[in-house]
């Protein structure tokens, strides 16, 4: 039983590890007589004669047996062998116990490597949030969360919410500082957190354009010496002063920031100097701005600064320095790779896969945008300085073209040549423009297509449709995917009234460029010509979705709804047109016409009168307004409109007759008599005027009645003779016709002049002894309103649409294809 070891509940797996046989105590070896004797002699190699070791200073121990208490042979250093059992306890086999083994040689014990037999682990102790340290940590976390929420709100455009979060973070941070002071940890204040809170608050004030508060917040940071590198925030303060147009203060703060930034931050210093130069430009101090820009171009040249330098030289009129600055501008290195590296090769598939992956990545897009920006600045600078650097703009353009051809932007030379032609157009020198564009006929396809497109447009404006068609074909041959060339071709076909073919060209242009608004507009007009109104309506509705504020598109929609017999929708679209162009007289007149057709006279009068105010020369509007006042028995007000019509059309007798009629209706017979006499002097053969003179002179008892009566008889006789001659001539000509002679005679008679119809009506005048004021409205209309005929009671407006069908190809087709 002495070798049976019982498992205890809590055993020490490392117990007995430091126990060793005192026989092998190295410190007592010098005093060990047996050891010393064995060293000097061969006594130590002899087997013992008895079961006892010779005594040592520590005491003798029995030798171990093969099992149980037997002690294994020890090492020379006195350490027991691994696995030895001493004093009834087994020690681990190594210093680190293997999984599942115990420090005792127990038999029948359960394998429990995870110690589950001991029961569940005791619960974790909860944090005590009442301690000052925990409160400070929780408050710090809240402040950081609020700063993050404020920045996220700003990133999505919620500026007001971002400001509220920044203010709350400031309140929490001040509460945190007070908490530290109360707990006696004032020296452990988190300066980084305070800096973040103040900076975020200042930024949010600036974003919300609360500039005084933003400046105060920045000032708090800048004045605090505990914040390192806070001086560069003066750049932010200077930016605010620029927005407030306080340019001297902005310059001051930019320079203060420049002084506090070391030369190690070269890029930041360059940006600040560029801002200083821009502010000097706004102040009109071009010399100071030139100093800043020249320093930047000598230290770290870039496209924007080079362009600004050219603008300053242009402002002071320095030709030679403009040329030098332009040469510096086109020599600025962009630092981008050549486009050829993105062209895949046919040999290496792995390289092709890499090129396919990177040819449209973010870096390549950035490179393309940088190149486009550089080309834009160079083109703008060339167009600006070309007329100023030489005696003529043509010579200046030629110089710019030569410089560009010798640079990395050689492809811009052709664009400059096209801009030269456009400049000729602006100066109305069409011949030179055409000659310049014709030089591109032998260039590469892209340039040839652009030049031919512009030539086609020019010839179209000059109504030389054959030449326009020729150059449109040339542009299409050079580049079939050029939507402008297809539109020009469609326009030339349109004016030849081949609408189906024109529609095909417009559709092809839309397939090549779905955002081509000119093609969509022209396609809608073409469908309207083909009476395919629903398809035209679809085109203009799509166009309205793209061009929300286009008055022309909305007017076309109104016109289509009118043709579709939906006047209410037409009225709504016209009202939208007026919301964009408030003073358009044609839209106002058209709206008045629609209200008149709906029977709403008051609304019609309002819009007609507004149209008259903005454009008092529209004869249709004047006619409607005069007839409206006569119909409402306000003849005195109608006089001013008919007098204006007389000024516009002085050879038309009907307007002067209407003026005299209004005087007669209003009871001013003397004025009416004078007006009729004046009309008789201008138009002595006018029968209607003589009849009214006879009646007025008779009623007023004037002696001139016989004179006018004699003239009336003579004029009527001459008129009858003339009518008989015309009738006999028509009858003789109709006899020679093979068929339909009777119908022809009737048609000839039916096409009598308006004056003949008038004379027929005038024969039914009331007797001369009837008082004029007793005349019924119907009789007045038949007698005095001959120019308007039987439509007097409901005048026909005839207000023209904005787009006349006959003028449509010239005015409405979207053929303005000159590049900007």
């Amino acid at each position: 039983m002495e070798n049976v070891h019982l498992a205890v509940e809590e055993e020490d797996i490392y117990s007995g590890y430091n126990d060793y046989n005192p026989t092998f105590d190295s410190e007592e070896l010098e005093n060990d007589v047996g050891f010393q004797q064995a060293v000097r002699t061969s006594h130590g190699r002899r087997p013992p004669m008895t079961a006892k070791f010779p005594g040592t200073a520590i005491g003798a121990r029995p030798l171990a047996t093969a099992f149980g208490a037997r002690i294994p042979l020890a090492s020379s250093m006195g350490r027991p062998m691994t696995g030895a059992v001493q004093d009834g306890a087994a020690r681990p086999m190594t210093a680190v116990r293997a999984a599942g083994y115990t420090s005792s040689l127990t038999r029948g014990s359960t394998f429990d490597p995870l110690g589950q037999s001991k029961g569940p682990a005791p619960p974790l102790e909860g944090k005590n949030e009442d301690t000052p340290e925990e409160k400070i940590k929780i408050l710090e976390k809240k402040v950081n969360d609020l700063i993050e929420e404020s920045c996220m709100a700003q990133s999505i455009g919620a500026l007001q919410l971002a400001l509220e979060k920044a203010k709350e973070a400031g309140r929490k941070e001040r509460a945190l500082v007070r908490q530290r002071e109360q707990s006696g940890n004032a020296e452990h204040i988190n300066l980084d957190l305070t800096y973040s809170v103040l900076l975020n608050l200042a930024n949010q004030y600036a974003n919300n354009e609360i500039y005084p508060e933003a400046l105060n917040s920045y000032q708090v940071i800048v004045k605090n010496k505990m914040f390192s590198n806070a001086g560069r925030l003066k750049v932010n303060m200077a930016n605010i002063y620029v927005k407030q147009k306080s340019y001297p203060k902005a310059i001051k703060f930019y320079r203060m920031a420049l002084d506090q930034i070391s030369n190690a931050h070269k890029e930041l210093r360059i940006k600040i100097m560029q801002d200083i130069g821009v502010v000097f430009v706004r102040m009109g101090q071009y010399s100071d701005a030139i100093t800043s820009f020249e320093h930047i171009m000598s230290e770290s040249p870039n496209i924007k600064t080079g362009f600004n330098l050219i603008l300053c030289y242009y402002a002071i009129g320095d030709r030679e320095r403009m040329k030098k600055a332009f040469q510096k501008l086109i020599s600025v290195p962009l630092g981008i790779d050549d486009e050829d590296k993105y062209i895949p090769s046919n040999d290496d598939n792995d390289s092709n896969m890499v090129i396919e992956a990177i040819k449209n990545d973010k870096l390549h897009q950035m490179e393309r945008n940088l190149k486009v920006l550089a080309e834009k600045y160079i083109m703008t600078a060339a167009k600006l300085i070309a007329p100023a650097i030489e005696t003529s703009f043509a010579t200046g353009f030629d110089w710019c073209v030569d410089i560009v051809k010798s640079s990395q932007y050689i492809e811009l030379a052709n664009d400059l040549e096209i801009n030269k032609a456009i400049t000729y157009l602006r100066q109305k020198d069409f011949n030179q423009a055409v000659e310049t564009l014709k030089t591109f006929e032998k260039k590469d396809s892209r340039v040839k297509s652009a030049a031919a497109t512009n030539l086609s447009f020019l010839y179209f404006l000059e109504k030389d449709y054959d030449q326009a068609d020729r150059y449109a074909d040339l542009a299409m041959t050079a580049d079939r995917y050029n939507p402008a060339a297809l539109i020009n071709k469609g326009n030339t076909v349109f004016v030849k009234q081949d609408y189906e073919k024109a529609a095909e060209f417009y559709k092809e242009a839309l397939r090549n460029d779905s955002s081509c608004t000119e093609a969509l507009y022209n396609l809608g007009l073409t469908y309207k010509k083909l009476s395919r109104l629903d398809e035209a309506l679809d085109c203009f509705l799509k166009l309205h979705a793209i061009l929300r504020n286009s008055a022309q598109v909305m007017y076309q929609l109104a016109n289509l709804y009118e043709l579709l017999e939906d006047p209410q929708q037409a009225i709504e679209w016209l009202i939208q047109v007026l919301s964009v162009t408030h003073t358009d007289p044609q839209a106002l007149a058209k709206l008045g016409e629609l209200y008149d057709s709906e029977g709403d006279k008051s609304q019609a009068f309002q819009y007609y009168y507004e149209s008259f105010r903005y454009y008092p020369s529209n004869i249709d509007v004047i006619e409607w307004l005069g007839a409206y006042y006569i119909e409402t028995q306000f003849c005195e007000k109608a006089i001013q409109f008919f007098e204006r019509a007389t000024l516009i059309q002085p050879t038309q007798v009907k307007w002067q007759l209407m003026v005299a009629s209004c005087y007669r209706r209003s009871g001013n017979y003397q004025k009416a008599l004078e007006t009729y006499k004046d009309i008789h002097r201008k138009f002595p053969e006018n029968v209607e005027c003589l009849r009214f003179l006879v009646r007025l002179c008779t009623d007023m008892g004037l002696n001139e009645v016989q004179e006018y009566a004699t003239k009336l008889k003579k004029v009527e006789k001459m008129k009858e003779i003339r009518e008989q001659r015309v009738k006999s001539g028509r009858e003789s000509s109709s006899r020679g016709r093979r068929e339909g002679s009777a119908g022809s005679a009737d048609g000839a008679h039916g096409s009598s002049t308006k004056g003949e119809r008038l004379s027929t009506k005038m024969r039914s005048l009331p007797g001369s002894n009837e008082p004029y004021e007793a005349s019924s409205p119907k009789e007045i209309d038949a007698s005095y309103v001959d120019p308007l005929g039987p439509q007097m009671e409901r005048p026909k407006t005839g207000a023209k649409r904005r787009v006349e069908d006959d003028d449509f190809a010239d005015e409405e087709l979207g053929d303005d294809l000159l590049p900007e």
Side-chain angles (χ1 to χ4, degrees):
M1 293 297 293
E2 74 180 82
N3 293 325
V4 177
H5 303 280
L6 298 177
V8 294
E9 288 186 1
E10 292 185 6
E11 56 186 5
D12 187 1
I13 61 176
Y14 293 105
S15 62
Y17 182 80
N18 293 326
D19 297 339
Y20 60 93
N21 193 333
T23 304
F24 307 108
D25 188 359
S26 60
E27 295 180 358
E28 298 295 333
L29 289 178
E30 294 181 359
N31 301 324
D32 191 335
V33 179
F35 178 76
Q36 294 297 333
Q37 184 180 359
V39 170
R40 289 193 296 268
T41 65
S42 61
H43 180 74
R45 293 190 294 272
R46 297 175 183 177
M49 299 299 293
T50 63
K52 299 284 187 178
F53 268 108
T56 61
I58 304 301
R61 290 179 180 249
L63 290 174
T65 60
F67 181 78
R70 184 174 62 181
I71 301 175
L73 295 176
S75 64
S76 61
M77 295 302 294
R79 177 180 177 275
M81 293 182 65
T82 301
V85 179
Q86 298 177 1
D87 298 334
R91 61 178 296 279
M93 294 198 63
T94 60
V96 179
R97 184 182 65 169
Y101 289 88
T102 63
S103 60
S104 302
L105 292 178
T106 58
R107 296 189 179 184
S109 60
T110 306
F111 180 75
D112 186 16
L114 299 179
Q116 295 178 356
S117 60
K118 299 178 182 179
L124 298 174
E125 294 183 3
K127 289 186 178 180
N128 187 3
E129 297 183 357
D130 294 334
T131 60
E133 292 79 6
E134 288 299 324
K135 289 182 178 179
I136 288 172
K137 287 182 180 179
I138 293 171
L139 207 52
E140 277 188 353
K141 187 176 184 305
K142 287 183 178 178
V143 173
N144 282 313
D145 291 342
L146 285 170
I147 294 175
E148 185 176 351
E149 290 173 8
S150 175
C151 295
M152 293 300 294
Q154 178 196 348
S155 67
I156 62 174
L159 301 181
Q160 188 61 37
L161 177 62
L163 179 59
E164 294 299 326
K165 294 289 184 182
K167 289 180 179 178
E168 189 176 354
R171 291 191 292 268
K172 295 285 185 184
E173 195 273 336
R174 288 191 292 273
L176 174 61
V177 172
R178 288 195 297 270
Q179 186 81 14
R180 287 187 184 277
E181 291 175 350
Q182 291 174 4
S183 62
N185 294 327
E187 66 277 4
H188 296 133
I189 292 176
N190 191 345
L191 288 178
D192 292 338
L193 185 63
T194 304
Y195 181 85
S196 301
V197 169
L198 291 173
L199 179 59
N200 182 57
L201 182 60
N203 289 339
Q204 300 309 331
Y205 276 131
N207 292 335
N208 284 271
E209 299 182 358
I210 309 176
Y211 297 132
E213 296 294 335
L215 290 171
N216 291 337
S217 300
Y218 283 127
Q219 199 71 29
V220 170
I221 301 174
V222 169
K223 287 185 176 180
N224 195 332
K225 301 299 183 183
M226 300 178 70
F227 297 140
S228 60
N229 298 324
R232 64 180 60 189
L233 292 181
K234 290 180 180 178
V235 174
N236 295 22
M237 300 174 71
N239 292 340
I240 291 176
Y241 283 125
V242 170
K243 292 178 182 177
Q244 292 179 332
K245 298 185 179 181
S246 300
Y247 299 131
K249 284 187 178 180
I251 294 289
K252 174 184 175 183
F253 275 85
Y254 278 134
R255 285 176 170 168
M256 290 170 64
L258 199 62
D259 293 339
Q260 297 185 8
I261 296 174
S262 65
N263 293 327
H265 301 89
K266 181 180 177 181
E267 186 176 352
L268 181 58
R269 290 177 62 86
I270 290 295
K271 289 182 178 180
I272 294 175
M273 291 192 69
Q274 189 168 346
D275 290 340
I276 291 174
V278 171
V279 175
F280 275 131
V281 169
R282 294 190 179 185
M283 295 172 67
Q285 300 179 14
Y286 299 112
S287 300
D288 295 328
I290 287 171
T291 303
S292 296
F293 293 144
E294 284 180 342
H295 176 75
I296 296 171
M297 291 300 288
S298 62
E299 294 289 330
S300 177
N302 60 78
I303 291 292
K304 287 186 178 180
T305 304
F307 181 72
N308 290 339
L309 185 59
I310 291 175
L311 292 180
C312 292
Y313 287 145
Y314 180 81
I316 64 175
D318 194 331
R319 292 184 177 184
E320 293 302 321
R321 295 170 83 180
M322 270 190 275
K323 289 183 177 181
K324 292 179 181 178
F326 185 75
Q327 291 173 335
K328 287 183 180 179
L329 177 64
I330 63 174
S331 63
V332 171
L334 297 180
I336 61 178
D337 293 327
D338 190 6
E339 288 289 331
D340 293 340
K341 85 169 193 176
Y342 296 103
I343 300 175
S345 60
N346 298 325
D347 302 331
D348 193 350
N349 291 331
D350 295 337
S351 299
N352 291 345
M353 292 176 64
V354 172
I355 291 171
E356 189 68 26
I358 68 173
K359 72 179 182 180
N360 200 32
D361 61 356
K362 297 290 184 182
L363 179 60
H364 192 202
Q365 291 176 12
M366 185 192 73
E367 290 177 346
R368 282 202 301 263
N369 293 337
L370 181 59
K371 187 176 181 181
V372 169
L373 183 65
E375 291 176 352
K376 175 186 173 184
Y377 282 137
I378 291 170
M379 288 291 294
T380 306
K383 289 188 288 185
L384 178 70
I385 69 172
I389 57 178
E390 299 292 346
T391 54
S392 66
F393 87 93
T395 310
F397 262 109
D398 292 339
W399 181 88
C400 292
V401 168
D402 292 338
I403 295 297
V404 170
K405 282 182 178 179
S406 62
S407 69
Q408 57 182 325
Y409 304 99
I410 187 171
E411 65 274 7
L412 292 182
N414 292 325
D415 295 336
L416 277 174
E417 290 280 2
I418 292 179
N419 275 282
K420 179 181 176 182
I422 294 172
T423 308
Y424 277 125
L425 286 178
R426 291 197 179 101
Q427 296 180 355
K428 301 188 184 303
D429 192 347
F430 296 102
N431 294 328
Q432 283 290 343
V434 170
E435 290 300 322
T436 304
L437 291 172
K438 283 183 177 179
T439 59
F440 290 95
E441 292 187 21
K442 297 181 181 180
K443 297 290 183 68
D444 62 84
S445 60
R446 184 186 67 86
V447 180
K448 184 193 299 183
S449 178
T453 299
N454 289 334
L455 282 169
S456 175
F457 167 69
L458 289 175
Y459 283 122
F460 188 87
L461 292 181
E462 293 177 349
K463 300 188 185 304
D464 188 350
Y465 299 126
D466 292 333
Q467 285 282 45
D469 187 59
R470 172 177 171 269
Y471 280 102
D473 288 334
L474 182 62
M476 290 168 56
T477 304
D479 184 5
R480 184 71 186 187
Y481 298 99
N482 183 356
L486 291 166
I487 291 172
N488 279 356
K489 179 64 177 177
N491 292 351
T492 58
V493 175
F494 185 93
V495 295
K496 297 175 183 177
Q497 299 183 359
D498 189 353
Y499 302 123
E500 292 287 354
K501 194 172 182 181
E504 291 301 322
F505 284 113
Y506 297 141
K507 288 177 184 177
E508 187 176 352
L510 285 171
R511 284 194 295 270
N512 294 338
D513 183 6
S514 59
S515 63
C516 185
T517 55
E518 293 88 354
L520 191 58
Y521 188 92
N522 292 352
L523 183 61
L525 293 177
T526 307
Y527 282 142
K528 192 165 76 168
K529 279 289 187 181
L530 293 169
S531 299
R532 293 155 63 176
L533 300 182
D534 291 330
E535 295 177 68
L537 189 64
D538 289 339
C539 290
F540 285 112
L541 287 173
K542 289 178 184 177
L543 196 58
H544 178 66
I546 301 171
L547 307 173
R548 303 295 299 181
N549 295 322
S550 174
Q552 286 185 338
V553 174
M554 289 187 284
Y555 190 91
Q556 291 293 339
L557 285 167
N559 181 244
L560 283 169
Y561 278 115
E562 182 187 6
L563 296 175
L564 290 168
E565 298 181 355
D566 190 350
Q568 290 301 323
Q569 282 287 346
I571 287 172
E572 290 181 10
W573 281 107
L574 282 172
I575 290 173
Q576 289 192 42
V577 171
L578 292 177
S579 68
V580 178
T581 56
H582 311 284
T583 60
D584 191 318
Q586 294 291 348
L588 289 165
K590 187 64 180 178
L591 202 52
E593 179 186 349
L594 289 173
Y595 275 118
D596 186 28
S597 65
E598 290 292 298
D600 192 344
K601 292 284 186 181
S602 60
Q603 284 282 18
F605 170 74
Q606 176 184 346
Y607 286 109
Y608 271 124
Y609 190 77
E610 286 295 309
S611 176
F612 173 76
R613 284 202 314 119
Y614 293 120
Y615 183 55
S617 299
N618 189 331
I619 202 69
D620 298 319
V621 174
I622 292 172
E623 180 181 3
W624 191 94
L625 289 170
Y628 174 80
Y629 278 119
I630 290 177
E631 186 178 354
T632 54
Q633 304 299 321
F634 290 101
C635 300
E636 299 88 348
K637 292 185 177 180
I639 292 173
Q640 60 173 326
F641 295 102
F642 292 125
E643 285 178 344
R644 182 172 289 275
T646 302
L647 294 174
I648 297 170
Q649 296 180 344
T651 59
Q652 294 290 329
V653 68
K654 64 179 181 180
W655 306 122
Q656 300 181 45
L657 289 173
M658 288 301 302
V659 173
S661 174
C662 290
Y663 280 126
R664 189 200 63 79
R665 288 189 179 204
S666 61
N668 193 346
Y669 303 125
Q670 186 62 39
K671 190 70 175 176
L673 180 63
E674 293 175 1
T675 306
Y676 280 126
K677 286 181 178 180
D678 186 56
I679 295 171
H680 178 62
R681 284 192 297 270
K682 294 177 181 178
F683 306 95
E685 295 183 0
N686 188 274
V687 177
E688 292 79 9
C689 178
L690 287 169
R691 286 177 179 172
F692 293 136
L693 281 171
V694 170
R695 290 186 59 186
L696 281 172
C697 291
T698 302
D699 292 345
M700 297 175 69
L702 299 178
N703 297 327
E704 301 166 302
V705 62
Q706 189 61 39
E707 177 187 353
Y708 291 123
T710 304
K711 290 182 179 180
L712 177 60
K713 289 179 181 180
K714 187 183 297 185
V715 170
E716 284 180 343
K717 188 174 182 180
M718 291 175 60
K719 193 170 185 180
E720 287 177 2
I721 294 171
R722 192 181 302 118
E723 288 177 358
Q724 288 177 0
R725 287 177 181 174
V726 172
K727 187 176 180 181
S728 61
R730 287 174 181 171
E731 288 176 353
S732 62
S733 63
S734 63
R735 291 191 193 102
R737 297 179 183 175
R738 296 180 180 177
E739 295 179 0
S741 60
S744 301
D746 293 338
H749 179 72
S751 61
S752 58
T753 62
K754 196 171 185 181
E756 293 169 352
R757 293 196 304 270
L758 173 65
S759 62
T760 304
K761 293 178 186 176
M762 298 303 285
R763 293 191 184 98
S764 61
L765 284 172
S768 60
N769 56 349
E770 295 180 9
Y772 293 104
E773 56 273 12
S775 301
S776 65
K778 186 175 181 181
E779 291 169 341
I780 291 173
D781 290 341
S783 305
Y784 297 100
V785 195
D786 161 72
L788 295 180
Q791 299 174 348
M792 186 59 199
E793 293 191 358
R794 186 168 185 176
K796 183 178 179 181
T797 59
K800 293 184 180 179
R801 299 191 309 251
R802 173 187 297 273
V803 184
E804 291 293 333
D805 291 337
D806 295 338
D807 300 330
F808 157 130
D810 297 338
E811 298 179 3
E812 291 299 320
L813 287 174
D815 49 16
D816 191 1
L817 305 174
L818 287 177
E820 295 180 358

